[in-house]
Amino acid sequence: MPNVYDSGFRSVGESMLTHPLANEALLEGAWEQVRRGGHSAGVDGITAELFEATLAQELASLAQDLDSGVYRSQAYRAVNIPKESGGHRQIVIATVRDRVAQTAALLHLGPVISPLLHPCSYAYRPGKGVQDALAKVTEYRKRNLAVVLLTDVAQFFDTVPHEILFSLLGTSGVSETMTDLIRGWLRAAVVDGAAQFVPDRGLPQGLPISPLLANLYLTPFDREMVEAGWKLVRYADDLVICCASKAEAERARVEAEAALTPLGLQLGAEKTSIATFAEGFKFLGARFQGSELIPATAHPYEQSFPAPPFRPPPKAPPAGVPHTLLRTLYIQQQGSRLGCHGDRFVVTRANSTLIDLPAHHVDQIFLFGRIHMTAAAMSFCLIQGIPVYLFSGRGRYYGVLHNVGDTNYALRRRQFELADDVQARLEVSRAIIRAKVRNGKTLLQQHERNHPGTLSAETMERLGHALTRLEEVQTRDELRGVEGAAAAAFYGGYAQCFRGNLGFRHRSRRPPTDPANSLLSFAYTLVRYNLYSYLAGRGLDPAVGMLHDVRPHHPALASDLLEEFRSPIVDSLVLSVANRGMFSAADFQFMEGNPQPCYLQDESRERFLHAFEEKMKEERRHPDVDHPVNWRAVLDLQVTRFRRYVDGAVDRYVPYPWE
């Protein structure tokens, strides 16, 4: 059978299909999941065994129908399953062909939608399940939150409004092609015995795609509740909110009801109650009683919708490319040539191969100075969406080679509208500068704790005064004035923290005039264009900022988000390498000019890039995820936060709280 499958699919590959689901590896993986999930037939009577008998032809036909736009979902067969509490729960069974298509869509959309979901959601997510949700409730109990609001969303899977869902898909980066497929799947006819109907709302239970859509649909509710301070644990449409008192639990009920209203949903009156751990209560089949937890049996939702298989982290790529989110290939050896052989990047110099690695190990490329890039490599990067950033040999940014891809015009339009909104710009700018000042103050305080007596009390007083003034300003011009005063206070204190042979007196840029400023400027540039990649990848226009004005050749929005990361990433890195004696004056060159520009030597730049990558690998905590992440992941999470603000999912942008 594998040989038939391979030979049959080879013709599909040769036909150059372009639909996102008409992909050999994707459909093969989808079929394997469908095969393991059950062999029931849909309305066409074809079981998984029959489908497998002509597998190659079936998958080739499916791929071609998807690509040509003639694919249509068949009707679903309804099955009524008895519920333990009485009554029945209706699920639908799609044909095997449609199950393969939907599972392929699930595999394709998972990486797009999963980063947008909130950590408080535990259903149908790789590596999460009922036991993790119960463990979170137990954690809240240990934090003396003794009262819980138990509830669910009334008839959730039957009542989800389709138009709101399709709007959410659009603002989540899902293409129109995929949205049209989902629309067809949700509005396919359902055959129940002799009766047949076409749903105009809801997510049919039993479809592979429904659980992911359910999680996405409830994400605005999750975020609104958690950002309001509620300790929410949600599993599909069942949820618990842990509180300190019954009065607080009642407020949580009111706010939960209000948060569901814009989604066209409401709490289920029958399952809503307020209980205490002392009294005992059941959640997801388990019983909490005092300090005990009586284990749960398998949850019906998990039985019907097993989570996608957990995929371990990929193996480390070859030496030369840091294994971090947004893996970066730096090329700075002058006279080098970047070429593309098939699906591999090859860097050569003077007939010697410097790097030969699979292209899928690279997410972005930084070229410094006299580097030749072949036309084949350019075309490959444009097709694959790999941005190539061009710098002078001294680190000055020239531009970026990047395919803008599928532009989300609705998102861009909203971004432009916000950029024209004077009050919105002021509030976002205020939040960013507040974070910048606080993070700078945190860095100085950390240094003072490690080296008492370094800083004067006046420095901290000036930064505290700036934070107070920030809340009073009424225009962005006033805001810039406060920012300037805070920057002067910060860099004055920062200068007192240098103990090595690379001294720092004051901030100088365009050009940097001493080694410390050279390192600062270079590292700020690296972070800015990492942010650029994430912004472009999330469908935002990096050139349209809120704090910084639009001007030619400047990614204003990337510069906006850079502000909150200056001290946590760059200032702390430069201070560290300087005080550890990793660089000396010999690592820099002074050029002609007035003032004299100061730049890293080529060999020294390589060492600093290594230090920068090590910094980016440091793991931090971020409020939006429940596990440690590296600095690049933090950058991406903040870009995702900004996108949610632009989408209108939240009413303000919240910068990263460095502690």
Side-chain angles (χ1 to χ4, degrees), residues 148-154 217-234 237-243 247-268 272-274:
V148 296
L149 169 68
L150 296 158
T151 186
D152 71 348
V153 181
Y217 195 84
L218 287 173
T219 294
F221 167 79
D222 295 341
R223 295 202 176 281
E224 182 169 343
M225 293 299 292
V226 174
E227 289 176 5
W230 298 110
K231 306 306 180 186
L232 168 68
V233 177
R234 180 175 66 79
D237 58 336
D238 291 320
L239 57 100
V240 62
I241 301 176
C242 299
C243 306
E248 187 176 279
E250 179 58 32
R251 290 198 302 273
R253 184 195 63 77
V254 173
E255 292 195 22
E257 192 77 63
L260 286 174
T261 299
L263 297 174
L265 303 171
Q266 58 186 2
L267 295 179
T272 299
S273 63
I274 294 175

Side-chain angles (χ1 to χ4, degrees), residues 404-412 539:
V404 296
D406 296 328
T407 302
N408 187 328
Y409 294 105
L411 179 69
R412 293 288 179 95

Side-chain angles (χ1 to χ4, degrees), residues 616-630:
M616 299 303 284
K617 291 178 184 178
E618 287 182 0
E619 291 194 334
R620 314 293 306 175
R621 286 286 180 180
H622 192 284
D624 292 351
V625 292
D626 55 5
H627 55 85
V629 293
N630 66 25

